[in-house]
Amino acid sequence: MQYPEPLAKLIDSYMRLPGIGHKTAIRLAYFTVGMNKDDVKNFADALVSTKDKLKFCSICGNLTEEDPCEICRDPNRDRSKILVVEQSKDVMVMEQMKNYKGLYHVLHGVLSPIEGKGPEELNIKSLIKRLQKNESVNEVIIATNATPEGEATAMYLSKLIKPAGIKVTRLAHGLSVGSDIEYADNMTLYRAIKGRTQM
Amino acid sequence: MKLKNLELRHFRNYEKINVNFSDGINVLIGNNAQGKTNLLEAIYVLALARSHRTRNNRDLINWKYENAQMKGRVSKAYADTDLELDLDRSGKRAKVNHIEQAKLSSYVGQLNVILFSPEDLSIVKGSPSVRRKFMDMEFGQISGQYLYNLSHYQRILEQRNRYLKQLYYRKAHDRLFLDVLSDQLSAFGAEIIHQRIQLLAGLEKSARQIHWDISLHKEKLKFRYVTALKDKDLTSTNHIYECLRALYKKNRNREIKQRTTILGPHRDDIHFIVNGKNVQTFGSQGQQRTTTLSVKLAEIDLMKSETNEAPILLLDDVLSELDGNRQTHLLKAIQDKVQTFLTTTSLSGITKKLIDNPKVFKISNGKITID
Ligand SMILES: Nc1ncnc2c1ncn2[C@@H]1O[C@H](COP(=O)(O)OP(=O)(O)OP(=O)(O)O)[C@@H](O)[C@H]1O
Ligand SMILES: [Mg+2]
Ligand SMILES: [Zn+2]
């Protein structure tokens, strides 16, 4: 016997999520069938609005409902520093630390030819434009992960930015080699940001 | 170090065995295709978490089963270590003293082995890639740092080769990024070259003496590390780094044209020189055998001096291939020092002295009996 079509489609959708295999997808699908209608509706709305309502900030590339994003609009942030991260979720991790008051720039990945990501595929051009337009920036802090690709990205950015006379530093201390920012705890990140090194 | 005990379940043609070994010489005797090499392979896999015969886990698991387990007790100067490796079709899990290790690099190195089989002649006779693999396997066992540098180097090399291809087909245009990849590759490449040269110097020192003795004081063995860099550039990691960078800069257009990285440790080689001549091209069969044996026996000394423990020696079918003189030197190198496992189909042709007091295991169709 086949799954009724709506159920089959739901199973197929769940399977598109990372880390979810066939069995888990079936379990989730049957669970969804058993949920009350309002909850299901909220769930579906939440899914759709991630696409309808979220966009990338035209200045920093962070995910936002309004463009420019909250951080770029905030007059109280320190406009002399830009912290460069791989993903939007890294901005959230940094913000939860509540210690960094500067601005951000989200690259949307790291340089990796194997995955078809060269400099043109990352959000790098807009960073350079930002630096050209805003004389107030005097430090760019690079917080890509300590993987070979994260390191290559950091080196590339520093070669690009340094000739303009802007200080480039790298988050290095505390983060173990090969680790992801996502998994680092606040204390480690705090130490990392204090101990950043000039490139 | 000694392997005191080995337990196998569903490994190759073994169902379930549990054997205690002698600290000295263990002889595995049996007809062809009974499981002698399989047992040596099991010890090798237990040590390195990979086989010398296959890249595929499936081959290691008994055809009738889905997974295999292997356990060994290793005794070292100050403590015993329990190693455990579980294999299934998709992967392996490694435990040291019953604690699972997240990274294989924290598992490899607990048990050091040197395997010597007739195919090892290709270290001398084969292509450069055989000799690079030889260095990477041996030095990776000795030094976790080496293994770390090597895996990073290979990753960056893959990225760089892909980028060269993209530049060639004009799918990419950024020369600055190529420079970054070159710098990164140079940094790890310099570490690898520097470590290789240092470890090879240690290996050469023992190999030269052994070769001199085996050849009855007639032949002088030397190693030459063959690389695109000049000898005078090899003095320090930093120097090697700067020279590699300069070479990548100089060869940039050539590399784009060829769509691949044409120089670096992944292209280097070793030449074995006997009395001033490269033994690969000019050596007699006998000289090539002596060289192979000397290099292999020198590995024992190198591992001992780098890790403070003698490794375990696995000799697959090599004994009967060595003449009396070479057997005697082998004996000298291992006697009372190195726990040895050797396979043979018969004891004839093997020096009496060598098997003076061995523990003999009869192997027949995946079953082991003590003689
Ligand atoms: N995964 C496996 N499951 C079951 N049997 C296997 C498996 N892999 C290999 N064999 C069997 O193991 C045997 C080969 O064993 P091995 O290579 O140890 O022989 P050997 O005793 O060293 O022989 P020789 O003296 O010819 O070198 C073959 O008969 C082969 O069919
Ligand atoms: Mg065999
Ligand atoms: Zn923004």
Side-chain angles (χ1 to χ4, degrees):
Chain A
M1 199 189 119
Q2 282 183 7
Y3 290 107
E5 192 179 319
L7 197 56
K9 279 189 173 160
L10 187 58
I11 292 169
D12 184 59
S13 299
Y14 277 130
M15 277 175 65
R16 283 162 201 265
L17 301 176
I20 295 192
H22 192 61
K23 274 191 191 148
T24 311
I26 292 170
R27 207 161 50 82
L28 289 175
Y30 275 104
F31 181 82
T32 312
V33 171
M35 282 163 71
N36 77 47
K37 187 151 182 183
D38 279 349
D39 285 345
V40 173
K41 212 159 164 1
N42 287 340
F43 186 25
D45 286 348
L47 285 175
V48 173
S49 43
T50 57
K51 282 290 150 190
D52 287 352
K53 298 203 181 131
L54 285 181
K55 45 184 154 286
F56 294 121
C57 171
S58 57
I59 298 172
C60 72
N62 194 13
L63 269 180
T64 177
E65 246 183 300
E66 270 177 72
D67 186 17
C69 74
E70 206 180 310
I71 294 171
C72 289
R73 276 182 289 136
D74 185 348
N76 295 321
R77 307 245 8 163
D78 175 359
R79 301 198 163 259
S80 69
K81 290 183 178 54
I82 295 181
L83 190 125
V84 181
V85 294
E86 291 180 16
Q87 313 286 350
S88 293
K89 62 181 191 229
D90 299 335
V91 173
M92 285 310 289
V93 177
M94 283 291 174
E95 282 298 285
Q96 276 155 12
M97 183 180 73
K98 294 189 173 60
N99 205 268
Y100 175 71
K101 292 286 171 242
L103 303 173
Y104 290 94
H105 196 86
V106 183
L107 295 172
H108 301 301
V110 275
L111 293 171
S112 173
I114 293 172
E115 282 141 70
K117 293 216 162 166
E120 295 101 46
E121 280 71 34
L122 298 187
N123 192 23
I124 290 176
K125 257 196 206 114
S126 73
L127 173 64
I128 304 304
K129 271 204 206 113
R130 251 178 116 179
L131 296 175
Q132 285 164 344
K133 273 207 309 223
N134 303 298
E135 314 240 298
S136 54
V137 180
N138 60 31
E139 181 177 359
V140 174
I141 307 160
I142 304 176
T144 51
N145 291 320
T147 57
E149 290 78 15
E151 292 296 344
T153 309
M155 274 162 80
Y156 178 79
L157 289 176
S158 105
K159 284 197 183 212
L160 214 56
I161 297 167
K162 252 181 20 191
I166 299 168
K167 186 160 108 180
V168 181
T169 54
R170 170 99 175 100
L171 275 200
H173 280 274
L175 288 184
S176 66
V177 174
S179 73
D180 281 352
I181 288 193
E182 207 186 332
Y183 297 118
D185 58 68
N186 287 349
M187 207 44 223
T188 320
L189 282 176
Y190 176 74
R191 272 198 311 267
I193 209 161
K194 283 271 178 239
R196 63 188 185 265
T197 52
Q198 186 145 4
M199 290 187 81
Chain B
M1 61 181 69
K2 319 278 182 211
L3 182 63
K4 292 286 188 185
N5 170 273
L6 179 71
E7 240 183 286
L8 299 179
R9 267 189 68 207
H10 307 164
F11 184 89
R12 291 278 192 191
N13 67 334
Y14 293 96
E15 288 268 347
K16 207 171 167 186
I17 58 165
N18 186 337
V19 250
N20 294 320
F21 295 120
S22 146
D23 285 356
I25 294 175
N26 297 276
V27 176
L28 313 175
I29 189 165
N31 291 333
N32 296 126
Q34 299 304 308
K36 301 185 295 296
T37 302
N38 292 347
L39 193 68
L40 291 192
E41 184 184 33
I43 297 172
Y44 189 94
V45 173
L46 189 70
L48 285 150
R50 59 191 270 186
S51 164
H52 64 294
R53 294 206 289 189
T54 175
R55 298 170 128 250
N56 199 339
N57 267 359
R58 272 164 188 247
D59 300 344
L60 301 175
I61 300 166
N62 191 301
W63 296 319
K64 287 185 282 187
Y65 300 93
E66 295 291 314
N67 47 51
Q69 281 99 40
M70 42 210 318
K71 287 185 195 169
R73 164 154 295 191
V74 182
S75 127
K76 299 186 196 174
Y78 297 106
D80 285 3
T81 307
D82 283 319
L83 297 181
E84 188 177 337
L85 206 58
D86 292 354
L87 310 171
D88 63 28
R89 298 200 167 182
S90 56
K92 41 186 138 301
R93 296 182 349 157
K95 291 184 194 165
V96 178
N97 289 330
H98 314 285
I99 298 166
E100 187 160 344
Q101 307 293 304
K103 288 186 189 152
L104 281 182
S105 57
S106 58
Y107 177 87
V108 175
Q110 300 288 336
L111 170 63
N112 290 322
V113 298
I114 292 168
L115 171 76
F116 191 5
S117 69
E119 292 97 77
D120 278 316
L121 213 48
S122 63
I123 292 172
V124 173
K125 284 173 43 165
S127 66
S129 68
V130 179
R131 286 180 286 281
R132 285 193 296 269
K133 189 172 158 218
F134 157 75
M135 285 190 280
D136 293 345
M137 291 302 285
E138 301 316 324
F139 301 163
Q141 274 197 77
I142 291 172
S143 160
Q145 189 67 34
Y146 187 88
L147 216 53
Y148 171 86
N149 287 329
L150 189 67
S151 73
H152 275 66
Y153 182 84
Q154 282 163 346
R155 175 76 183 168
I156 297 159
L157 180 66
E158 207 185 333
Q159 294 282 17
R160 190 171 185 272
N161 285 341
R162 188 65 71 87
Y163 202 63
L164 286 169
K165 230 170 250 163
Q166 292 169 358
L167 285 169
Y168 178 83
Y169 291 111
R170 302 193 189 283
K171 286 186 185 134
H173 310 276
D174 198 317
R175 297 295 179 105
L176 186 65
F177 181 41
L178 181 61
D179 285 347
V180 166
L181 289 171
S182 306
D183 287 358
Q184 241 190 335
L185 197 69
S186 304
F188 286 101
E191 296 281 352
I192 293 170
I193 292 178
H194 187 69
Q195 255 193 314
R196 279 183 183 172
I197 288 171
Q198 291 204 315
L199 290 168
L200 276 176
L203 196 67
E204 183 191 37
K205 201 165 155 251
S206 328
R208 194 192 306 148
Q209 185 61 50
I210 297 165
H211 196 105
W212 180 247
D213 290 340
I214 299 179
S215 67
L216 307 171
H217 300 189
K218 283 194 198 91
E219 295 176 8
K220 284 203 176 104
L221 175 66
K222 280 186 69 158
F223 294 179
R224 184 177 301 142
Y225 188 75
V226 183
T227 160
L229 305 183
K230 298 194 177 66
D231 280 354
K232 67 171 172 49
D233 300 332
L234 299 174
T235 45
S236 71
T237 313
N238 219 4
H239 211 114
I240 300 171
Y241 168 72
E242 291 301 341
C243 293
L244 280 173
R245 282 184 74 199
L247 279 175
Y248 287 131
K249 194 156 256 165
K250 196 171 130 204
N251 286 287
R252 188 194 241 188
N253 289 329
R254 232 177 107 197
E255 290 198 314
I256 293 172
K257 217 163 149 189
Q258 301 193 16
R259 286 158 277 169
T260 190
T261 302
I262 58 174
L263 59 98
H266 66 291
R267 289 288 176 99
D268 290 351
D269 193 4
I270 323 166
H271 284 175
F272 299 111
I273 314 287
V274 170
N275 288 344
K277 294 265 188 307
N278 186 347
V279 74
Q280 183 186 12
T281 33
F282 298 107
S284 69
Q285 289 276 1
Q287 285 175 319
Q288 291 177 341
R289 275 165 188 259
T290 306
T291 304
T292 312
L293 184 62
S294 307
V295 170
K296 278 287 164 180
L297 294 181
E299 277 180 52
I300 299 175
D301 295 336
L302 181 68
M303 272 200 195
K304 215 162 148 185
S305 73
E306 294 287 325
T307 65
N308 293 322
E309 288 273 353
I312 287 168
L313 188 63
L314 310 174
L315 302 174
D316 196 8
D317 282 342
V318 282
L319 221 49
S320 51
E321 306 228 342
L322 299 175
D323 61 23
N325 173 37
R326 293 196 182 96
Q327 281 189 20
T328 308
H329 279 92
L330 180 64
L331 172 70
K332 210 175 105 192
I334 63 179
Q335 210 171 35
D336 305 325
K337 291 188 283 199
V338 184
Q339 188 188 25
T340 302
F341 298 80
L342 64 90
T343 68
T344 186
T345 45
S346 90
L347 288 173
S348 69
I350 294 176
T351 313
K352 263 273 140 47
K353 268 193 295 185
L354 191 57
I355 47 164
D356 202 15
N357 200 6
K359 191 164 179 180
V360 178
F361 299 88
K362 274 214 168 108
I363 300 202
S364 168
N365 194 20
K367 303 253 177 327
I368 297 194
T369 44
I370 296 173
D371 207 35

